Amino acid sequence: MATKYMIVSGFLGSGKTTSMIAMARVINRKYGKAGIIANDLGAKNLVDADYTRTADVDINEITGDCICYVTEDLVDHIHRLANGGCDLVMSDIPGCGIGGLDHVYLKLKQDYPGRFDLLPFTCLVDPERLRMILPERANINLPEEMRFLLNAQLAEADLIVLNKIDLLSPEELAADLEFIKTAYPDVPVMTMSARTGEGVEQVVDYVLSHRSPAEHKEIGYGSDEFNAAEEKMCWYNRRFFARQRNEENIDFNQVVDDFMEAIRYGLIEAKRNVPHLKLFAAGEGDDFVKCSLVGVDYDVEYESRLRNPYAAMSIVVNARAVCESQVMGEVMEDALDAIKAQYDLKCNIIFTECFGFADEGRRNGGRASRYAGSGLE
């Protein structure tokens, strides 16, 4: 029997991970069992993977490359989840990524005939990012090149889902829907809020009752505009263990608050931005903090906060920034130094990587150059 498979794409901060978890819960309740593949250009140590595990959803990771370039690895991961009882497998694609329709769907259709039941290639868009391409072309402090990526993602889709509708008034929702339907008249459009659950079941019902034609669409992949947009981005990933030097229990929610704000202000000072920065820190059992930042002009958003104080905490941070990799690395180091001094922390750096699209090694198939480090600071 063919394994049902779908890609969930979307710009940085559109809510792909939260949406896949929300959809998986509906699938598990109504249709069988869902599995998730978390994909990122960086190496392991992903917020999304750690967070997804708190939701009791089967998850695998493909890291260090985009699923567009590692078809055999992707097929292996899909089969592993299917062999574990998953009836449907979802994977995301890096948040500024395009080309999955050609490089994944068409390749699976051609090279693995009959083995995969390809569900609609689904692109999420959130109201804030949509403002980049609305007629008023709002300035949300992202380079002009980012508009190309968002347009290409929406044009590539078999289904567009306007997510985070809980943030919109009825009038705003109607206006956004009218724009999307006018701009992409051949693509079905649905709405939902992955956070509240509104509309999620309807989206799941749709994707499970439709199939992707898996046919090429011209979206400008590999063009000068694509390369110009990708070259604006850098990736930063770090996992570290923070311990209060006197072994005193402290409020790590406040530590996280101050760390995120230090990053935000460092980027503002450098005149750079971060379309998506995520942080996850786990305490005992189901006690964890997860937060994100979708731009230097916005408040930090929390999906969960710690209920208890702790003397030590493992912290993972992932950032996708419109910034040179060296500058981003310096901003993150300064932010870490600030919370170390403020809370008298000793930090064991378990893993760090920081790279840009144009950095050495990034052009050979999308692979990341990286450095890793460990040690006490």
Side-chain angles (χ1 to χ4, degrees):
M1 180 183 292
T3 302
K4 292 181 176 63
Y5 173 69
M6 67 179 290
I7 287 178
V8 179
S9 76
F11 202 79
L12 297 158
S14 61
K16 294 191 295 295
T17 302
T18 305
S19 295
M20 288 194 296
I21 291 172
M23 289 190 288
R25 287 172 171 156
V26 173
I27 293 165
N28 292 347
R29 175 170 54 84
K30 291 187 64 175
Y31 294 102
K33 184 179 180 183
I36 293 174
I37 298 172
N39 179 218
D40 196 84
L41 296 183
K44 288 183 180 290
N45 297 286
L46 300 181
V47 167
D48 289 346
D50 283 10
Y51 174 53
T52 306
R53 291 188 186 98
T54 68
D56 296 323
V57 175
D58 285 7
I59 181 170
N60 280 344
E61 296 175 73
I62 293 180
T63 56
D65 218 328
C66 176
I67 57 173
C68 292
Y69 306 108
V70 289
T71 306
E72 291 184 5
D73 195 19
L74 173 62
V75 168
D76 179 61
H77 280 74
I78 296 172
H79 283 160
R80 279 191 236 169
L81 287 165
N83 291 337
C86 292
D87 303 289
L88 182 151
V89 177
M90 293 177 279
S91 66
D92 63 352
I93 189 169
C96 55
I98 61 173
L101 183 60
D102 280 1
H103 290 87
V104 180
Y105 270 31
L106 269 67
K107 200 159 190 180
L108 292 178
K109 180 180 177 180
Q110 295 165 6
D111 296 351
Y112 301 85
R115 290 172 62 178
F116 299 99
D117 192 5
L118 300 174
L119 303 185
F121 192 104
T122 301
C123 180
L124 303 179
V125 62
D126 68 286
E128 189 58 31
R129 299 297 184 239
L130 189 63
R131 294 175 61 223
M132 288 195 295
I133 58 174
L134 287 171
E136 61 268 26
R137 294 172 68 86
N139 180 13
I140 59 173
N141 290 318
L142 290 176
E144 179 72 23
E145 290 85 353
M146 297 298 104
R147 292 189 171 94
F148 165 80
L149 290 177
L150 179 55
N151 264 314
Q153 287 178 334
L154 294 167
E156 185 176 31
D158 296 321
L159 171 67
I160 295 171
V161 177
L162 177 60
N163 189 26
K164 304 186 182 180
I165 59 172
D166 53 302
L167 304 179
L168 295 173
S169 69
E171 294 76 19
E172 290 170 332
L173 176 58
D176 284 356
L177 280 175
E178 182 180 1
F179 170 77
I180 296 171
K181 290 175 179 179
T182 301
Y184 310 95
D186 298 326
V187 185
V189 183
M190 300 186 74
T191 64
M192 73 178 192
S193 168
R195 180 172 296 177
T196 68
E198 181 182 356
V200 175
E201 185 167 346
Q202 288 78 10
V203 171
V204 169
D205 290 344
Y206 179 91
V207 298
L208 281 167
S209 60
H210 290 75
R211 298 297 177 266
S212 174
E215 296 174 349
H216 171 74
K217 296 182 180 181
E218 185 53 56
I219 58 170
Y221 181 85
S223 64
D224 290 343
E225 291 88 351
F226 169 78
N227 291 329
E230 288 285 303
E231 287 176 359
K232 293 286 184 180
M233 304 293 296
C234 82
W235 286 253
Y236 182 95
N237 300 310
R238 168 166 281 185
R239 183 184 292 271
F240 62 98
F241 187 77
R243 181 183 296 277
Q244 211 285 328
R245 288 183 182 274
N246 296 321
E247 303 293 331
E248 295 179 355
N249 285 336
I250 60 175
D251 181 2
F252 266 92
N253 287 317
Q254 191 60 53
V255 174
V256 168
D257 282 344
D258 291 334
F259 184 49
M260 295 288 282
E261 286 302 311
I263 296 169
R264 189 163 73 92
Y265 285 116
L267 287 165
I268 290 172
E269 188 172 302
K271 294 181 171 58
R272 301 295 186 270
N273 208 339
V274 56
H276 204 197
L277 186 150
K278 298 173 284 188
L279 182 147
F280 179 89
E284 296 178 356
D286 62 352
D287 193 19
F288 64 89
V289 55
K290 181 182 184 289
C291 60
S292 62
L293 184 66
V294 297
V296 296
D297 300 320
Y298 304 93
D299 293 332
V300 177
E301 298 178 0
Y302 283 84
E303 293 191 33
S304 178
R305 287 183 180 267
L306 293 161
R307 298 186 300 271
N308 302 302
Y310 293 92
M313 184 70 59
S314 177
I315 299 173
V316 184
V317 59
N318 304 147
R320 311 295 172 253
V322 181
C323 183
E324 301 83 357
S325 55
Q326 180 180 350
V327 174
M328 188 65 195
E330 291 170 353
V331 168
M332 298 298 288
E333 293 301 328
D334 289 346
L336 185 60
D337 286 345
I339 62 166
K340 284 162 56 180
Q342 184 174 353
Y343 293 96
D344 197 17
L345 299 176
K346 178 172 59 176
C347 291
N348 181 9
I349 308 300
I350 299 168
F351 176 87
T352 301
E353 65 177 351
C354 187
F355 59 89
F357 181 82
D359 292 349
E360 180 183 358
R362 274 288 293 122
R363 289 194 181 275
N364 62 343
R367 291 164 181 80
S369 60
R370 62 177 59 84
Y371 66 88
S374 63
L376 289 174
E377 292 188 354

